[in-house]
């Protein structure tokens, strides 16, 4: 009976979380070939594809997508790997989360807005050099919206390097890295070569999935592309969004073809990663057999290591720029600092940000709580055998581009009687919050010592009591970390809120992105700061609670009343 209940629970979770994705893909596939009964379109054909291919700049959009996505992921992977390798064995490297928390917590849109305040023609960077260069007016160039997408690549790097570094750090903590380094050193390999030739291949299977998730986002992001990316032509995901929001209803069919093309681009790059993985393994085996020691590895790793402080300084400057602009009253060119500071920007919107703030808190709280409950239920019901393969299905929403199935999901929900509103937006948020929560919990959950639960069972504790009184307290740190990441993911959702809300549901993220297109910088900074403060507060709770709880328990153990006579 217990096995039947576990199977039923897992089927229910898959239906709730993967069913909408498959429904959205089916609707997108139909629209891509002219089948959209909601609009009276029932003629299957290639007309949407012809319209899409006739759009000017489509080839450039695809090239920009590949260039920015692959560059950001490749450079980000190298920088994160260099950061973990350089900090391994040091006290700071044993706990990267407190140091990376501000960058992990800051939503993509907030970081993009902060970078725009720095890299714009009148941004902070050019203000610092305006006097030495005798610039009387802002120059006619910038890295924001540049046709090469450099600003977009920088924005993606700022967000993805801390995430990949945290994943890699967690991976190496479970591996005998120090022993491998000593053994490789005894064979004549330098420390850098040992990290590349020995540690990376053995670590790769554990970080492959997070890397593919980062690659998928880099290839299909919309919010950062709208703020930092080129505008004409934009990356492919923005092109699809423009077709989806165009006033002509027939453009929805073109948007379906574009969404399917975006999904195909992501899948092709995944195949390319698999090919590179196989080729690298073969080339590496040949190099090892020839006895090459990889003398250039130290130079490459050292260069990546040197770039990390620059990138983290840029991220810190972006956050600082948001803080400064949110309390700025007057900041004329080319002053390096504001002439006048004021809290007027926080008061000027009045109650206008109260609604978006309430919606953001509502979605973050409800979806994170549901994601935690579903993730714990999934992990409690799974068996070790086949667990990894089945759980991999649940990461499908993160591997597929959002623009590839969310428009179709909106039509699917309409057919099911679920219109644009709180339920549709909350459900869409849950599709992306749950995989991240599961990704954080799966390692600690499977590493939990079952002997503790067996001892509790021997004392008469039932399954629910063992979970609540033994397992959850032991895994409190990972649970709080998963909750913090869930809050950050929900707050950062732009496209699910925009599409599934039908433009009727405003959150801090949707408002910040819309204001970033040309509104008052002070008001934009206020929304971006509010958007960033919520995840930072969640991360602060996740970081501070376990040590405080451990200190309290240590006090109880040292108390003379803790032991009986």
């Amino acid at each position: 009976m217990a096995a039947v209940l576990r199977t039923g629970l897992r089927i229910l979770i898959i239906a709730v979380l993967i069913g909408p994705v498959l429904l959205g893909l089916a609707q997108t596939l139909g629209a891509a070939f002219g089948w959209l009964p909601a609009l009276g379109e029932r003629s299957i054909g290639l007309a949407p594809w012809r319209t899409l291919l006739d759009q000017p700049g489509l080839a450039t959009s695809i090239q920009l997508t590949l260039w920015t996505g692959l560059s950001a992921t490749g450079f980000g992977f190298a920088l994160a790997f260099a950061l973990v390798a350089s900090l391994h064995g040091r006290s700071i490297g044993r706990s990267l989360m407190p140091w990376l928390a501000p960058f992990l917590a800051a939503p993509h849109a907030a970081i993009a807005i902060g970078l725009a305040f720095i890299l714009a023609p009148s941004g902070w960077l050019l203000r610092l050099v305006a006097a030495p260069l005798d610039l009387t007016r802002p120059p006619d160039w910038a890295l924001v919206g540049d046709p090469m997408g450099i600003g977009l690549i920088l924005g993606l790097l700022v967000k993805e390097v801390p995430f990949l570094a945290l994943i890699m750090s967690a991976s190496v903590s479970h591996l005998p890295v120090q022993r491998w380094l000593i053994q490789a050193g005894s064979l004549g390999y330098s420390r850098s070569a040992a990290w590349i030739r020995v540690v990376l291949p053995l670590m790769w299977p554990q970080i492959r999935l997070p890397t593919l998730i980062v690659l998928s986002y880099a290839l299909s992001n919309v919010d950062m592309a709208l703020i930092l990316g080129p505008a004409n032509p934009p990356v492919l995901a923005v092109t699809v969004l423009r077709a989806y929001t165009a006033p002509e209803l027939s453009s929805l069919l073109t948007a379906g073809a574009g969404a399917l093309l975006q999904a195909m681009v992501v899948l092709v790059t995944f195949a390319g990663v698999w090919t590179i993985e196989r080729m690298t393994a073969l080339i590496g085996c040949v190099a090892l057999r020839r006895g090459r020691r990889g003398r250039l590895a130290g130079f490459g790793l050292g260069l990546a290591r040197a770039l990390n402080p620059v990138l983290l300084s840029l991220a810190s400057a972006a956050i600082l720029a948001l803080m400064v602009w949110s309390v700025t009253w007057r900041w004329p060119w080319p002053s390096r600092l504001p002439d006048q500071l004021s809290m007027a920007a926080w008061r000027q919107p009045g109650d206008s940000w109260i609604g978006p703030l309430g919606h953001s808190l509502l979605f973050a709280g409800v979806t994170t709580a549901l994601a935690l409950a579903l993730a714990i239920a999934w992990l409690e019901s799974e068996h070790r055998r086949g667990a990894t393969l089945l759980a991999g299905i649940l990461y499908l929403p993160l591997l597929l581009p959002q623009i590839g199935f969310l428009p179709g999901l909106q039509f699917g929900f309409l057919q099911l009687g679920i219109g644009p509103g709180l339920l549709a937006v909350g459900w869409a948020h849950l599709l992306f919050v749950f995989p991240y929560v599961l990704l954080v919990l799966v390692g600690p959950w499977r590493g939990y010592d079952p002997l503790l639960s067996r001892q509790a069972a021997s004392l008469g504790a039932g399954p629910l009591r063992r979970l609540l009184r033994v397992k959850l307290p032991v895994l409190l740190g990972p649970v709080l970390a998963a909750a913090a990441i869930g809050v950050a993911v929900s707050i950062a959702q732009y496209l699910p809120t925009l599409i599934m809300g039908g433009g009727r549901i405003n959150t801090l993220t949707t408002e910040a992105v819309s204001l970033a297109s040309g509104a008052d910088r002070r008001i934009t900074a206020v929304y971006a700061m509010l958007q960033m403060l919520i995840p930072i507060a969640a991360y602060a709770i996740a970081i501070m609670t376990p040590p405080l709880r451990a200190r309290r328990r240590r006090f109880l153990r040292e108390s003379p009343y803790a032991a009986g006579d």
Side-chain angles (χ1 to χ4, degrees):
M1 184 63 180
V4 174
L5 291 177
R6 284 197 300 266
T7 303
L9 177 63
R10 296 163 80 182
I11 292 174
L12 177 63
I13 293 175
I14 291 177
V16 170
L17 297 169
I18 304 303
V21 178
L22 299 179
L23 176 62
L25 285 175
Q27 294 286 335
T28 299
L29 183 64
F33 291 96
W35 179 266
L36 196 60
L39 299 180
E41 298 287 346
R42 302 177 183 272
S43 57
I44 298 178
L46 297 176
W49 287 95
R50 285 192 290 268
T51 304
L52 175 67
L53 296 177
D54 288 340
Q55 290 191 0
L58 179 65
T60 305
S61 295
I62 297 175
Q63 293 173 5
L64 282 170
T65 298
L66 292 173
W67 158 245
T68 56
L70 293 175
S71 299
T73 305
F75 286 124
F77 188 92
L79 293 176
F81 182 74
L83 179 63
V84 172
S86 63
L87 297 181
H88 181 73
R90 302 182 184 180
S91 58
I92 187 177
R94 296 188 183 97
S95 181
L96 278 177
M97 185 173 180
W99 300 96
L100 299 179
F103 312 116
L104 291 169
H108 291 81
I111 288 292
I113 293 171
L115 286 176
F117 288 166
I118 295 175
L119 303 177
S122 59
W124 209 346
L125 181 62
L126 289 175
R127 288 173 182 269
L128 294 176
V129 298
L133 297 180
D134 195 23
L135 297 177
T136 58
R137 63 181 62 186
D140 191 18
W141 61 271
L143 293 179
V144 178
D146 65 292
M148 289 293 294
I150 304 299
L152 177 57
I153 293 174
L154 287 175
L156 291 170
L157 284 174
V158 166
K159 276 300 297 176
E160 305 308 349
V161 168
F163 174 74
L164 286 173
L166 188 64
I167 294 296
M168 292 180 184
S169 178
S171 175
V172 299
S173 65
H174 299 291
L175 299 173
V177 174
Q178 195 61 35
R179 189 182 71 196
W180 294 343
L181 295 177
I182 294 173
Q183 292 173 344
S186 66
L187 296 174
Y189 289 92
S190 65
R191 181 180 176 88
S192 299
W195 270 96
I196 295 175
R197 296 290 185 87
V198 180
V199 180
L200 180 58
L202 295 171
M203 181 178 66
W204 171 249
Q206 300 183 28
I207 63 174
R208 181 191 293 112
L209 177 61
T211 303
L212 292 179
I213 290 172
V214 168
L215 176 59
S216 176
Y217 178 82
L219 290 168
S220 60
N221 78 93
V222 172
D223 46 355
M224 295 195 86
L226 286 172
I227 299 171
L228 296 174
N232 192 24
V235 295
L236 182 58
V238 176
T239 300
V240 176
L241 179 63
R242 289 179 179 177
Y244 175 74
T245 56
E248 300 84 4
L249 293 179
S250 60
S251 65
L252 294 176
L253 301 178
T254 307
L260 189 57
L261 178 61
Q262 177 73 70
M264 292 167 60
V265 169
V266 172
L267 292 177
V268 168
T269 55
F270 284 177
V273 170
W274 181 86
T275 303
I276 294 174
E277 180 182 342
R278 301 274 82 78
M279 293 179 61
T280 303
L282 293 175
I283 295 174
C285 289
V286 173
L288 287 174
R289 290 186 184 125
R290 292 182 177 180
R292 295 180 179 176
R293 295 298 187 262
R295 302 300 180 186
L296 295 178
F299 173 77
L301 207 60
L303 178 61
R305 189 184 301 119
L307 292 176
N308 271 308
V310 177
L311 185 68
L312 295 179
S313 299
L314 185 64
S316 302
I319 297 176
L320 182 61
L322 290 177
M323 297 171 60
V324 172
W325 269 108
S326 69
V327 294
T328 293
W329 177 249
R330 186 173 180 271
W331 195 351
W333 173 271
S335 299
R336 296 181 179 181
L337 294 174
D339 288 352
Q340 290 180 309
L341 299 178
S342 172
M343 296 296 294
W346 289 86
R347 296 189 297 266
Q348 186 175 350
D351 296 336
S352 61
W353 50 264
I354 297 298
L357 175 63
H359 285 151
S360 297
L361 291 173
L362 174 65
F363 293 133
V366 173
T367 56
T368 300
L370 285 175
L372 278 174
L374 292 174
I376 291 172
W378 177 272
L379 293 170
E380 282 292 286
S381 65
E382 75 173 6
H383 294 288
R384 296 298 179 92
R385 183 176 298 176
T388 304
L389 178 61
L390 188 57
I393 302 174
L394 300 175
Y395 299 114
L396 188 62
L398 303 184
L399 294 172
L400 292 174
Q402 292 183 353
I403 197 68
F405 67 90
L406 283 176
L409 180 58
Q410 186 192 40
F411 288 109
F413 273 2
L414 288 173
Q415 293 177 356
L416 296 176
I418 304 175
L422 295 177
L423 176 59
V425 174
W427 200 339
H429 279 218
L430 183 63
L431 299 180
F432 304 100
V433 173
F434 173 82
Y436 277 106
V437 169
L438 184 64
L439 191 65
V440 175
L441 285 180
V442 64
W445 213 270
R446 292 174 183 170
Y448 169 79
D449 186 2
L451 183 60
L452 298 175
S453 295
R454 295 194 191 108
Q455 291 174 342
S458 67
L459 296 175
L464 182 59
R465 192 175 183 185
R466 293 198 299 269
L467 174 64
L468 297 178
R469 301 297 296 274
V470 179
K471 182 175 283 190
L472 288 180
V474 170
L475 299 175
L476 178 63
V479 170
L480 290 176
I485 289 178
V487 169
V489 171
S490 178
I491 292 294
Q493 294 305 310
Y494 170 72
L495 206 58
T497 307
L498 179 69
I499 293 179
M500 305 309 296
R504 306 174 188 174
I505 305 296
N506 295 324
T507 63
L508 293 174
T509 299
T510 58
E511 291 296 298
V513 173
S514 63
L515 289 171
S517 60
D520 190 335
R521 286 187 179 183
R522 296 167 295 183
I523 306 301
T524 305
V526 169
Y527 276 89
M529 282 296 299
L530 287 170
Q531 183 194 16
M532 189 169 55
L533 287 176
I534 299 173
I536 287 179
Y539 271 88
I541 294 173
I543 293 171
M544 296 172 60
T545 300
L548 292 175
R549 184 171 177 271
R551 184 180 304 174
R552 176 178 174 271
R553 287 181 172 269
R554 184 167 58 250
F555 170 77
L556 291 176
R557 288 195 300 268
E558 296 172 355
S559 172
Y561 302 101
D565 294 332

